[in-house]
């Protein structure tokens, strides 16, 4: 059965214009920072406001048989659960089949560096861009998911039962998602397709499917050498600098001259199909890996080879120091040898690395036999495994190309992402027979997590229409 793609496009555009834009701008204005960055999130009420906005919008949609529920578990963030029955023909043909669609509504913190006329909680439409925190990452997801389902129905297409999960702890590492999924297990069953709209795209010209995600290990390295700070003229040369010791310890983990990570537990062989994907992307978009970055002055990327840039950012480990304590601001820094240095360590690891084993290796390397007998601790350590997609079933490989050609006018492409979506590994283990469509709108310049984050509106519309096409192809596939 063919799908009327003209109707899909018309419904998608009309809904974005008339219904989504207003709700999404209201959503951006809510400072619903993820719990990891707002310990008092319940008292502040911003998360509750975002949940209410999303749930109310969903309840306003005219989808026959749909239920919308806000699920509350003790000591957990809430989850919006939307359950939509299959179209009649799909229900008869595949009564037990389920599609799981995922998004989140919590946000990263504000970050500095926004343009003077922009701000994280100030939605601004400028040309094809909607600026503000959380629009692209990924407040649009719930609106796009329901609109895709509406479009399928309006076009006379089919879809199996769809369950949409919108969580509120993703930016904190999804600590609450496993408990929700476990509680919902009888309703979820074994989905045959998982659709996640929380990923990115290498350009805005086609549908991009994420085939791998790196894992993440990290924690806080603290080096203490004194019980209190001392005059540097008195202590310097006698007491070792805590900063220098921290630098020595980090050199056990990373070659500071090349950035190469030295611990074997952080490395994995790169599968040939992922190398082939990177080679294709590099041949078509040779600057895809570096385009998102506003290099300062004459700063150059670590590698000048396009394929190596892509693989370095998706299948090789990389260390970053993302925070520090014990260092006073420069204008308040006296001539004192400080008692301690504390560094927040973030290590991206390849998709197939055992994140827990990598975490243990990192802790051991940083804390064993500290120089000068300094007190060294590595606290708040955590580990989130990456994910490598299963091979596409023939029907899905065809559906992805058909959707991209219909909505973007170009073939779909596959690529790896350097970031971490913690729940993907969990869902992959829980639903081993499922197919996965991981896509998104975070493309060049979108700058999710940073200043001036924007949603590229034409891409959001096309991704919405693409999901509609894929849902229909899934329901009408021949196994």
């Amino acid at each position: 059965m063919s799908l009327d793609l003209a109707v899909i496009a018309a419904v998608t555009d009309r809904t974005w214009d008339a219904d989504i834009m207003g709700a999404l701008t209201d959503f951006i204005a809510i400072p619903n920072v993820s719990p990891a960055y707002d310990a008092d999130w319940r008292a502040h009420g911003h998360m509750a406001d975002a949940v209410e906005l999303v749930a109310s919008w969903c309840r306003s949609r005219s989808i026959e048989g749909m239920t919308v529920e806000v699920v509350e578990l003790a000591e957990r963030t809430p989850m919006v659960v939307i359950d939509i029955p299959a179209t009649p023909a799909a229900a008869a043909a595949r009564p037990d089949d389920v599609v799981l669609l995922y998004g989140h509504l919590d946000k990263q913190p504000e970050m500095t560096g926004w343009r003077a006329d922009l701000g994280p909680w100030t939605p601004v439409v400028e040309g094809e861009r909607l600026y503000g925190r959380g629009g692209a990452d990924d407040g649009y997801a719930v609106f796009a998911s329901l609109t895709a389902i509406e479009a399928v129905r309006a076009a006379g297409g089919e879809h199996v039962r769809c369950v949409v999960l919108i969580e509120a702890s993703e930016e904190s590492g999804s600590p609450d998602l496993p408990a929700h999924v476990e509680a919902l297990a009888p309703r979820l069953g074994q989905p045959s397709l998982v659709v996640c709209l929380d990923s990115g795209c290498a350009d805005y010209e086609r549908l991009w499917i994420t085939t791998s995600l790196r894992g993440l290990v990290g924690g806080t390295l603290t080096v203490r050498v004194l019980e209190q700070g001392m005059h540097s003229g008195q202590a310097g040369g006698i007491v070792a600098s805590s900063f220098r010791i921290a630098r020595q310890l980090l050199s056990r983990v990373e070659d500071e001259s090349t950035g190469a990570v030295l611990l074997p537990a952080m490395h994995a062989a790169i599968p040939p199909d992922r190398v082939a994907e990177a080679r294709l992307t590099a041949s078509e978009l040779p600057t895809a890996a570096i385009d998102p970055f506003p290099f300062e002055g004459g700063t150059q990327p670590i590698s000048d080879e396009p394929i190596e840039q892509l693989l370095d950012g998706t299948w090789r480990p990389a260390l970053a120091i993302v925070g520090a304590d014990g260092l006073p601001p420069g204008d308040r820094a006296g001539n004192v040898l400080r008692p301690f240095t504390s560094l927040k360590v973030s290590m991206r690891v390849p998709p197939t690395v055992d994140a827990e084993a990598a975490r243990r290796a990192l802790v051991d390397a940083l804390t064993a036999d500290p120089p000068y007998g300094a007190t060294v601790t590595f606290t708040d350590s955590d580990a989130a495994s990456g994910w490598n997609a299963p091979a596409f079933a023939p029907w899905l490989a065809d559906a992805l190309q058909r959707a991209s050609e219909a909505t973007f006018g170009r073939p779909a492409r596959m690529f790896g992402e350097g970031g971490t979506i913690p729940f993907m590994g969990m869902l992959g283990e829980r639903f081993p027979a499922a197919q996965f469509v991981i896509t998104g709108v975070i493309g060049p310049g979108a700058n999710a997590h940073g200043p001036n984050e924007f949603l590229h509106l034409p891409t959001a519309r096309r991704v919405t229409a693409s999901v509609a096409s894929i849902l229909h192809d899934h329901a009408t596939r021949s196994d």
Side-chain angles (χ1 to χ4, degrees), residues 120-469:
W121 321 125
T122 305
V124 173
V125 177
E126 188 177 277
E128 296 180 333
R129 300 176 176 184
L130 171 58
Y131 284 93
R133 176 67 82 232
D137 186 21
D138 83 335
Y140 86 100
V142 62
F143 307 109
S145 296
L146 264 64
T147 300
I149 293 166
E150 290 179 4
V152 170
R153 292 183 167 210
E158 304 293 340
H159 66 78
V160 304
R161 176 170 165 253
C162 295
V163 180
V164 184
L165 303 183
I166 306 299
E167 70 153 319
S169 70
E170 193 275 342
E171 299 294 4
S172 301
S174 292
D176 298 337
L177 184 63
H180 277 292
V181 171
E182 183 64 32
L184 293 167
R187 291 170 61 178
L188 295 178
Q190 285 293 317
S192 60
L193 177 65
V194 176
V195 178
C196 169
L197 302 182
D198 190 29
S199 194
C201 50
D203 66 14
Y204 299 116
E205 305 300 325
R206 70 205 81 207
L207 181 65
W208 286 91
I209 304 300
T210 299
T211 53
S212 66
L213 296 154
R214 284 192 293 190
L216 178 65
V217 298
T220 301
L221 171 68
T222 301
V223 178
R224 295 185 179 275
V225 294
L226 293 168
E227 294 181 358
Q228 64 185 31
M230 300 292 295
H231 192 295
S232 62
Q234 179 185 10
I238 298 174
V239 180
S241 160
S242 61
F243 188 91
R244 178 167 69 84
I245 294 173
R247 186 174 62 186
Q248 284 181 264
L249 295 172
L250 290 172
S251 292
R252 299 175 178 179
V253 173
E254 176 196 51
D255 183 333
E256 62 266 26
S257 64
T258 65
V261 173
L262 304 175
L263 303 180
M266 302 290 181
H267 292 266
I270 306 175
D273 56 343
R274 303 301 177 232
V275 176
E277 289 172 3
R279 183 174 292 112
L280 178 59
T281 299
S283 67
E284 293 185 332
L285 301 169
T287 61
I290 62 174
D291 280 343
F293 308 116
F295 288 103
E296 170 66 23
T299 305
Q300 300 293 315
I302 296 170
S303 172
D304 58 6
E305 292 293 330
I307 188 171
E308 296 305 316
Q309 292 169 352
L310 289 166
L311 294 174
D312 285 344
T314 58
W315 276 90
R316 293 183 181 126
L319 174 68
I321 305 301
V322 297
D325 288 310
L327 298 163
D331 61 357
R332 302 293 296 170
N335 289 318
V336 174
L337 195 147
R338 297 173 299 99
F340 77 96
T341 297
S342 191
L343 302 175
K344 181 69 173 178
V345 176
S346 175
M347 178 77 77
R348 299 288 175 175
V349 297
T352 54
V353 156
D354 181 330
E356 177 56 29
R359 186 196 66 81
R360 292 194 300 268
L362 183 64
V363 173
D364 291 346
L366 292 174
T367 60
D369 192 20
Y372 308 104
T375 299
V376 176
T377 59
F378 194 77
T379 57
D380 302 321
S381 64
D382 53 17
S385 292
W387 174 78
N388 189 33
F392 294 130
W395 76 263
L396 181 54
D398 292 341
L400 295 173
Q401 296 303 331
R402 186 159 39 248
S404 188
E405 291 281 6
T407 57
F408 287 88
R410 297 192 181 192
R413 288 288 180 260
M414 289 69 193
F415 76 139
E417 283 274 30
T420 305
I421 305 179
F423 72 88
M424 283 309 309
M426 183 268 287
L427 291 183
E429 292 180 2
R430 191 175 189 94
F431 306 126
Q435 291 282 284
F436 288 83
V437 175
I438 314 302
T439 187
V441 297
I442 304 170
N447 211 26
H449 296 200
N452 308 323
E453 176 184 338
F454 69 78
L455 170 68
H456 189 256
L457 293 168
T459 298
R461 294 169 184 254
R462 290 169 185 151
V463 167
T464 303
S466 295
V467 171
S469 178

Side-chain angles (χ1 to χ4, degrees), residues 66-125:
M66 177 179 68
T67 62
V68 179
E69 180 183 359
V70 177
V71 177
E72 302 270 4
L73 299 178
E75 305 303 319
R76 303 285 184 182
T77 51
M79 173 174 282
V80 182
V81 181
I82 305 112
D83 202 325
I84 300 170
T87 54
R94 301 178 182 277
D96 299 321
D97 209 349
V98 180
V99 174
L100 174 62
L101 298 99
Y102 168 91
H104 67 87
L105 53 73
D106 58 315
K107 304 178 187 179
Q108 282 282 317
E110 297 87 336
M111 185 70 173
T112 59
W114 290 78
R115 271 174 29 193
D117 58 337
L118 300 175
W121 321 125
T122 305
V124 173
V125 177

